[in-house]
Amino acid sequence: MMRTPHVVVVMGVAGTGKTTIGPLLAARLGVPYAEGDDFHPQANIDKMSAGTPLGDADRWPWLDAIGAWAHERAGLGGVVSCSALKRSYRDRLRAAAPGVVFVHLAGDRKLIEDRMTHRQGHFMPTALLDSQFATLQPLQADEAGVAVDVSGSPEEITERAAEALSVLPDVPQ
């Protein structure tokens, strides 16, 4: 497995399985897990519940809270879920916690929409999926991280993520 306890940000559009894969990956790596949605202020949850996409101004405090958690976990390791759709969002997380690495859960829009329609108790409506895909900027070559296909079972996805992370070079903390 990884030589240095990284803080891993499990990212992707809504419905890719961040909340499912995050805890499984944390267990596999033997580190704590934090649910990114828990860092949202109530105003953000209310907006999304009403079908209104968040703007950058809504996201900055949320990203700063996740970045602070990641910073506290530097050198100890951890996994946190966070959509981190734009490069600027990931840059903000890296500014707070330079050693973070990203696992981009990526997949076919039809598969993701199908999963979203079958999940229960989540505030993100399927109607916002188009805005999520429109916002998404996949990881770039200079960003520490891996893209992992979301087809298959949660266990298969988690195993692919762990294997991909195991070959990443160490990132300075």
Side-chain angles (χ1 to χ4, degrees):
M1 202 44 31
M2 293 182 289
R3 295 167 298 288
T4 303
H6 290 285
V7 175
V8 178
V9 177
V10 178
M11 62 166 282
V13 300
T16 53
K18 297 180 296 291
T19 300
T20 299
I21 304 305
L24 291 173
L25 185 59
R28 172 86 163 66
L29 300 176
V31 296
Y33 170 72
E35 169 54 57
D37 286 342
D38 293 343
F39 293 88
H40 272 298
Q42 188 61 46
N44 285 6
I45 293 169
D46 293 346
K47 262 186 142 172
M48 289 182 284
S49 296
T52 305
L54 298 180
D56 287 352
D58 300 311
R59 286 190 178 94
W60 298 138
W62 174 64
L63 290 164
D64 290 343
I66 291 171
W69 183 88
H71 178 79
E72 290 170 9
R73 300 295 316 158
L76 303 170
V79 175
V80 61
S81 58
C82 172
S83 54
L85 298 177
K86 287 185 180 179
R87 170 72 186 244
S88 61
Y89 304 163
R90 297 187 298 271
D91 288 346
R92 194 165 183 122
L93 292 171
R94 273 190 295 274
V100 298
V101 295
F102 295 88
V103 170
H104 177 191
L105 298 179
D108 175 70
R109 189 197 186 290
K110 186 170 173 20
L111 170 67
I112 294 166
E113 183 175 20
D114 182 62
R115 288 184 179 172
M116 282 184 79
T117 60
H118 290 95
R119 69 182 182 181
Q120 297 176 355
H122 197 278
F123 55 79
M124 175 69 84
T126 306
L128 290 182
L129 190 55
D130 286 336
S131 73
Q132 294 258 302
F133 272 105
T135 302
L136 176 64
Q137 296 171 343
L139 288 173
Q140 297 173 10
D142 65 333
E143 294 184 271
V146 296
V148 176
D149 180 56
V150 296
S151 61
S153 71
E155 293 74 21
E156 291 168 334
I157 299 164
T158 301
E159 189 55 36
R160 281 196 297 271
E163 287 176 18
L165 287 169
S166 72
V167 298
L168 276 182
D170 281 339
V171 177
Q173 300 289 323

